[in-house]
Amino acid sequence: MLPTETDVLVVGAGPTGLTAALTLARRGVPVTLVDRLPRPPITSRAAVVHAYTLEELDRIGAGGPLVARGVRAPEFTVQDRDRVLLRVPFGDLPSRHPYALMVSQADTEGVLTAQLADLGVRVRRPYELTGLDLGGPGAVATFADGATVRARYVVGADGMRSSVRGLAGIGFAGPAHGVESFVLADMRATSALPRDRATLFLARGGPLIWAPLPDGVVRLVASVPEAPADPDVAYLQGLLDARGPARRPGRVDEVLWSSRFRLHERIADTFRAGPVLLAGDAGHVHSPAGGQGMNLGIVDAVDLGATLADVLAGGPDTLLDGYAARRRPMAEDVVSFAAGLTRLATLPPAARPARNLLLRLLSALPPARRGIALRLSGLVHRPQAAG
């Protein structure tokens, strides 16, 4: 049963919502966290947590437990079949996490959920938001079963099709349908590729990402003309044969789960409408290139949770305008960066030799490699005073 009143209602219990709730709970703020699904998904898209995100998770006590469950990748490579075009080392990042952490989103959610449980906060399921009355102080949320909750603030962390954003009347500009099709899968495979390094293969048929996860699992993501509903072993093997290593080709042994999605690029018109705040995919969606989406959402959530806690402790309400002013430009920057990576990976055949030459030149320049590592890690967004 839901409470009738709460200081903060967080809608959506993915990584962003869980992080926002945990940040608030650590500060002693009464928070109610709901999700429309009857149980958390055991399959998930995101597979990397970058250094800056881990630093932000450290602030709320979740960084260490998550690192213990992942694979530390000391570098990222870009290849054309067997030829390495670019190496991006993370070992000299100015961070206590000089690596990319390869870990399933389901594990990330599990760590955050356990941390919340230790503080006496649980995810209330299944509660589907159907109404949001902003006519009085705060907001009154109505759910499909008729339950209502009055909250001083509502956090929309309910993804690209956010009910909170829609009910608050916040625009979300972009095409109605995704413009590019992707296939993704977790699988077991036999391969000579390292199990502690993610690789982006640039191939004639399109890009393919090979990302090792714990327990011998590999995440495969590929851009395709039209992804099948249930990519199987034969389909994934065909992608790996056509785009992956040629001299020592890998073998797909088992598909643990597979799915498909379309690329969307959208940003909410604002991240605040009165008592309603947006974070994560409710505010921004973009290409999976560079593994930035979940990371940006988690950083949004720590910022928002800390800002809300300051306001509820007596700080001025205008602090929330500061949150919106900080996060939307950052979202614009990440969306642009991810789109640029996607364009680079999907250039027409005539432009690929020049692209490959450029990548090899960048790989030969330590400052360029460092700049790319800082960009991928998210550390370019870290406030200077924190570094």
Side-chain angles (χ1 to χ4, degrees):
M1 180 178 294
L2 291 175
T4 57
E5 294 186 357
T6 188
D7 276 3
V8 181
L9 173 66
V10 178
V11 181
T16 299
L18 290 164
T19 301
L22 181 57
T23 305
L24 288 160
R26 290 281 186 215
R27 296 281 294 270
V29 175
V31 57
T32 300
L33 175 60
V34 300
D35 196 274
R36 65 178 181 83
L37 297 177
R39 60 187 62 85
I42 59 172
T43 58
S44 51
R45 186 176 306 169
V48 60
V49 181
H50 288 300
Y52 182 42
T53 309
L54 289 169
E55 290 184 358
E56 292 295 280
L57 289 172
D58 283 340
R59 292 175 55 187
I60 57 173
L66 185 58
V67 169
R69 297 176 71 162
V71 173
R72 302 184 191 193
E75 71 173 5
F76 170 73
T77 62
V78 179
Q79 294 186 202
D80 181 356
R81 303 304 300 263
D82 298 305
R83 186 174 191 177
V84 175
L85 303 175
L86 175 66
R87 293 186 185 275
V88 182
F90 297 125
D92 62 349
L93 287 173
S95 171
R96 56 184 170 273
H97 299 289
Y99 48 82
L101 187 73
M102 310 306 300
V103 62
S104 167
Q105 182 178 322
D107 284 334
T108 301
E109 292 176 4
V111 166
L112 294 167
T113 300
Q115 295 270 311
L116 276 169
D118 289 344
L119 297 173
V121 178
R122 63 184 178 86
V123 181
R124 313 295 184 105
R125 302 176 181 274
Y127 285 99
E128 182 177 358
L129 185 72
T130 56
L132 200 58
D133 182 355
L134 304 178
V140 177
T142 302
F143 295 90
D145 67 349
T148 62
V149 177
R150 179 176 291 278
R152 296 176 67 179
Y153 295 98
V154 176
V155 173
D158 48 343
M160 184 180 75
R161 296 175 177 83
S162 170
S163 297
V164 173
R165 186 189 62 238
L167 291 168
I170 299 173
F172 198 47
H177 302 286
V179 296
E180 191 170 0
S181 176
F182 285 82
V183 61
L184 69 159
D186 282 357
M187 62 188 195
R188 297 195 184 279
T190 302
S191 173
L193 289 169
R195 291 301 177 122
D196 64 348
R197 185 180 75 202
T199 300
L200 168 62
F201 290 94
L202 302 179
R204 183 178 298 274
L208 179 143
I209 297 171
W210 169 280
L213 295 172
D215 302 321
V217 176
V218 174
R219 168 70 54 82
L220 201 70
V221 184
S223 170
V224 295
E226 189 64 40
D230 296 298
D232 58 13
V233 168
Y235 184 85
L236 297 171
Q237 185 67 60
L239 288 175
L240 190 59
D241 288 344
R243 305 184 189 186
R247 285 197 298 268
R248 301 177 67 184
R251 184 182 72 241
V252 179
D253 298 317
E254 179 186 7
V255 178
L256 303 177
W257 76 277
S258 59
S259 185
R260 61 179 176 177
F261 66 97
R262 285 193 174 274
L263 184 157
H264 293 260
E265 289 184 3
R266 298 187 187 185
I267 300 178
D269 292 348
T270 179
F271 281 28
R272 183 188 186 192
V276 174
L277 292 305
L278 302 181
D281 285 359
H284 46 75
V285 292
H286 50 79
S287 163
Q292 302 295 302
M294 183 185 73
N295 287 270
L296 183 60
I298 288 173
V299 177
D300 285 348
V302 175
D303 187 346
L304 178 53
T307 304
L308 276 169
D310 288 342
V311 171
L312 290 166
D317 183 78
T318 52
L319 289 174
L320 294 170
D321 294 329
Y323 162 79
R326 286 190 299 276
R327 301 315 302 177
R328 195 175 189 282
M330 202 164 293
E332 291 174 339
D333 179 64
V334 171
V335 169
S336 176
F337 174 63
L341 289 178
T342 300
R343 288 193 297 270
L344 189 69
T346 55
L347 285 174
R352 289 172 188 163
R355 175 199 63 192
N356 291 357
L357 176 60
L358 172 63
L359 291 174
R360 289 197 298 272
L361 289 173
L362 291 174
S363 190
L365 299 172
R369 294 199 306 269
R370 179 178 172 82
I372 297 169
L374 287 168
R375 197 68 175 75
L376 288 171
S377 70
L379 291 169
V380 292
H381 293 141
R382 183 173 63 186
Q384 292 301 310

